[in-house]
Amino acid sequence: MKLLLASSSPRRAELLERLDLEFMVVPADVDETRRPDESPGVYVERLAREKAVSVSVPDVAVIAADTAVVHEGRVLGKPAHPQEARAMLTSLQGAEHEVFTGLAVASAGEAASMVDITAVRMLPMTEDEIYAYVETGEPMDKAGSYGLQGKGGMFVESISGSPFTVIGLPIHLIPRLMRKVGVVPEQFARRSNL
């Protein structure tokens, strides 16, 4: 059996690497449009399941995730352009928001999924700081326009919950979901030549 990561996110691949698992990256191609009146948790869990199932084939276990930042009831996805990134960061600065990450594992025609939520409090930021950060390009492929694991981490005052949920792959949930679909996580461990 092989393990696939249904994501093109280098951050998710790096987190999976930390678990010392052998896996291949096979990005999923699903419509990520949020449905009317779909709550953030339902939205990210649905997308994670759809991504996992869309690349699932026999003798493979698939891990997929989707992340959304929610501030004052508004879902903030990836910014379309630098001006939108600056607007998102301006709204988040000095305030608390939530990060919802849906995680799914699919194997042998079954799928299991969960949602993890982490609260993040941002430091106050000046207009110049926001502009300079957006100019680095880092915010452009991240929900909410910041990366906890990158330069954006210097603007995070505190978090309540898992930092991995904010980065986009709640690794603490992976073994539990694997077992729900009958997969033993240890079978994907890298073998040492020692």
Side-chain angles (χ1 to χ4, degrees), residues 5 23 26 30 45 51 56 64 69 74 79-80 89 94 99-100 126-127 136 138 141 144 146 153-154 159 170 194:
L5 174 62
F23 66 96
V26 179
V30 300
E45 186 171 10
K51 289 174 182 180
S56 186
V69 171
R74 213 172 113 230
L89 289 166
V99 179
F100 289 71
T126 67
E127 214 174 292
T136 69
E138 184 180 274
D141 68 338
Y146 75 94
M154 67 183 158
I159 65 168
L194 300 177

Side-chain angles (χ1 to χ4, degrees), residues 68-70 96-101 115-121 146 148 158-167 170 172:
V69 171
V70 180
E96 186 172 287
H97 62 273
E98 292 180 308
V99 179
F100 289 71
T101 294
V115 176
D116 203 49
I117 305 168
T118 295
V120 179
R121 174 164 289 285
Y146 75 94
L148 177 67
S158 64
I159 65 168
S160 178
S162 172
F164 303 114
T165 296
V166 180
I167 297 170
H172 59 288

Side-chain angles (χ1 to χ4, degrees), residues 1 56-61 106-111 181 183:
M1 180 172 273
S56 186
V57 293
D59 297 320
V60 165
S107 181
E110 290 187 59
V181 296
V183 174

Side-chain angles (χ1 to χ4, degrees), residues 1 18 39 82 126 133 144:
M1 180 172 273
R18 288 186 189 183
S39 72
T126 67
Y133 178 52

Side-chain angles (χ1 to χ4, degrees), residues 51-68:
K51 289 174 182 180
V53 170
S54 75
V55 300
S56 186
V57 293
D59 297 320
V60 165
V62 181
I63 296 172
D66 196 78
T67 301

